[in-house]
Amino acid sequence: MTVIALPRVRRRAPVALGACLLSFAAFWWAQRAAHVSMIDLMVYRAEGETVRAGGDLYALRTTEAHLPTTYPPFAALLFTPLTLLDTSTMRTLATAGNLALLVVFVALSLRLVDHARVEGVWWASAAAVWCEPVWTTVRYGQINLLLGVLVLWDLTRRPGHRWAGVGIGFAAAIKLTPALFAVFLLVTGVVAYARRGPGGPWLRHVRGSAVAFAGATLLAACALPYDSWRFWSRMVFETGRVGLVEDTANQSLRGVLARLLHTTQPGLWWVATAAVAGSLGLGVAVAAELRGRRAWAVAACAVTALLISPVSWSHHWVWCVPMVLILGTRGRAAAVGAAQVTAAGTSLVFCSYALWWVPHGPGRLELRQTGAQLTLSALYEGAGLVFLTLIGVRLWRTYRTV
C-alpha cells in the first residue's frame, strides 16, 4: 500500500493552528479568572453614549476611577456602536476582536520581513498573546492592536498603492501618536529628494495620510463642532488629564525621568531628552528606510513614538511583537548583531511583567523607588533604546562597508 505524504507545510499548519487556539483558550480563561475590568472599554462606551446624548464629551468622568475622555472626537464617533450592546456581549466581542487583531498584527509584522508563513503566524500569535502589553491591552479593552494593524496594513502595501496613507491617517485621527509615522515618511521623502532621488513615493504616502486624517477630523468637526473646538484648542495640550506621569505603567522617557528625579514635573529634562531621542530615533528610521530596510524603519519609528510621548502606558508597547519578530527572524531584514540572543532577551523583558514587581499604586509610591526598583520600572524604555542602538550600529557598519 502506497502512503502519500502530505507536504510538510500542510502538516505543520493545522498543528500550529491548534496550538494557537489552545493558547488563546487558556488566555481567555486566565483573563476571566483574573476578573479583568476592561475599564477602558467602559470609557469608550461612555464616550459613545455622550455623543448620542449630545453631552459635553470632554467634561465626561466615568467608571469608579472617574476617567476622562482623552482621544480626539473622531474616536468617540467610532465608539457609538458600543452603546447598542449589553456589557457582557461587548466584553466578549472586545476580547475576541483583540485576539483576531493580534493574529493580523503578527501576520503583518512577519510580512515586513518576508516570513509570513501561515504556521509561523499561528506559532508567533500563540506566544505573543502572553506578553504583558498584549495581556494588558485585552485586560483594559484597549485599541492598541487596532491602531497597530492600521499602521502596518498601510506600511506593508506595495509602493504607489492607491490606499497608501489611509491607515496611518485614520490611526492618527483616532489617537495622535501614530502621526509620527507620517512625519517619518515626510522626512524620508524630503531627504530622498534632497539627494536627487525619487522622493515621490514617500511624499505621496504622506499626502494620503494627510487627506485621511483631515477627512476624519472634519467629519468629527461637523458631527461634534463644540467638542472638536475644545479638543484641538485646549485638551490636546493638557497631557496631565491622561494620568499621573510618574505611574509605573507610564513607560515613556517622561515617566522614567519623573521616577528617577522623584518629581511629578520633569520639565526641561524631559523636553531635552525627548528632543534628542526623537531626533536620533527618527534619524535611524529614515536611514533604515532609505537603505531598503522597511521592517527596521517601521519598528524604529514605533519605538521612537513610544519613547518621546508624554505618556506611553505599558499596553501601548504592543509594538514589542514586531520588535521581537524582526530580531528573531533570519533573512535580508534580519540579524542586527546577536539578533537571536537579543530577541530572547527582549521577549523576556516584555513577558516578565517585571515593571509590576515594584511599589506602585495610591500614595505615589513610584516617587520613592530605589535604584533596583527604578531599573525594573524602566525596562521597556531600556529595551526600546537598545533596539534603536542595535539598528543604528548595524546601519553604520553596513554604511562603512559600502
Side-chain angles (χ1 to χ4, degrees):
M1 180 177 178
T2 303
V3 178
I4 301 176
L6 291 174
R8 295 177 67 185
V9 172
R10 293 183 62 186
R11 294 200 305 270
R12 290 175 178 175
V15 174
L17 174 59
C20 182
L21 293 176
L22 183 62
S23 179
F24 280 10
F27 175 88
W28 198 312
W29 177 85
Q31 289 259 318
R32 292 288 297 272
H35 303 290
V36 296
S37 64
M38 289 197 157
I39 190 170
D40 288 340
L41 184 63
M42 299 298 123
V43 175
Y44 300 157
R45 186 182 190 182
E47 291 181 25
E49 290 173 341
T50 302
V51 168
R52 293 187 63 182
D56 187 341
L57 189 60
Y58 294 100
L60 174 67
R61 292 293 186 279
T62 188
T63 72
E64 295 180 358
H66 303 287
L67 296 177
T69 302
T70 58
Y71 294 170
F74 179 66
L77 290 179
L78 298 183
F79 296 147
T80 53
L82 296 177
T83 62
L84 305 177
L85 304 172
D86 62 80
T87 301
S88 178
T89 302
M90 181 177 65
R91 288 170 179 261
T92 300
L93 291 178
T95 301
N98 265 322
L99 292 178
L101 285 168
L102 174 62
V103 175
V104 178
F105 191 53
V106 168
L108 291 172
S109 299
L110 288 172
R111 181 187 292 180
L112 276 175
V113 291
D114 295 332
H115 280 269
R117 295 174 182 170
V118 174
E119 70 271 18
V121 172
W122 295 127
W123 284 118
S125 299
V129 73
W130 295 100
C131 72
E132 191 274 340
V134 173
W135 170 277
T136 312
T137 288
V138 181
R139 171 190 175 188
Y140 292 148
Q142 262 283 344
I143 59 171
N144 306 302
L145 290 168
L146 171 62
L147 298 178
V149 165
L150 284 173
V151 171
L152 286 186
W153 172 82
D154 201 337
L155 292 172
T156 53
R157 300 297 90 193
R158 68 178 185 272
H161 193 279
R162 62 177 178 175
W163 294 105
V166 171
I168 292 173
F170 280 138
I174 296 170
K175 190 173 182 178
L176 295 178
T177 309
L180 189 66
F181 286 96
V183 176
F184 148 69
L185 292 169
L186 176 61
V187 175
T188 303
V190 170
V191 171
Y193 180 79
R195 293 179 177 178
R196 302 184 182 277
W202 292 288
L203 297 178
R204 285 193 295 271
H205 207 140
V206 174
R207 182 176 61 194
S209 299
V211 169
F213 174 82
T217 303
L218 288 174
L219 174 63
C222 292
L224 304 168
Y226 173 71
D227 292 321
S228 294
W229 171 255
R230 264 194 97 187
F231 179 82
W232 294 108
S233 64
R234 177 182 171 188
M235 298 303 171
V236 69
F237 304 107
E238 296 185 1
T239 57
R241 298 177 73 252
V242 180
L244 299 177
V245 63
E246 75 276 7
D247 197 311
T248 297
N250 182 13
Q251 292 294 299
S252 71
L253 290 173
R254 186 168 178 243
V256 170
L257 287 171
R259 295 188 289 270
L260 179 64
L261 300 175
H262 307 292
T263 177
T264 61
Q265 298 293 332
L268 291 178
W269 285 104
W270 169 66
V271 173
T273 304
V276 172
S279 300
L280 294 177
L282 200 59
V284 168
V286 171
E289 177 71 8
L290 290 174
R291 287 183 162 266
R293 306 288 190 173
R294 170 58 65 90
W296 294 359
V298 172
C301 184
V303 169
T304 301
L306 291 166
L307 290 173
I308 67 175
S309 176
V311 174
S312 292
W313 300 127
S314 68
H315 52 77
H316 294 164
W317 282 83
V318 292
W319 286 95
C320 69
V321 174
M323 284 170 61
V324 172
L325 292 176
I326 288 167
L327 289 172
T329 52
R330 298 177 180 179
R332 62 177 181 175
V336 278
Q340 304 298 326
V341 175
T342 306
T346 305
S347 299
L348 180 61
V349 166
F350 289 101
C351 292
S352 66
Y353 295 70
L355 72 160
W356 300 114
W357 300 354
V358 304
H360 62 277
R364 310 197 111 164
L365 302 176
E366 290 89 344
L367 294 177
R368 299 188 294 274
Q369 290 181 353
T370 64
Q373 293 167 348
L374 287 168
T375 300
L376 288 177
S377 64
L379 282 178
Y380 289 9
E381 298 88 340
L385 290 171
V386 168
F387 182 78
L388 291 177
T389 301
L390 287 172
I391 295 177
V393 169
R394 178 61 177 175
L395 289 170
W396 178 68
R397 286 178 177 174
T398 56
Y399 175 78
R400 290 187 65 191
T401 59
V402 174

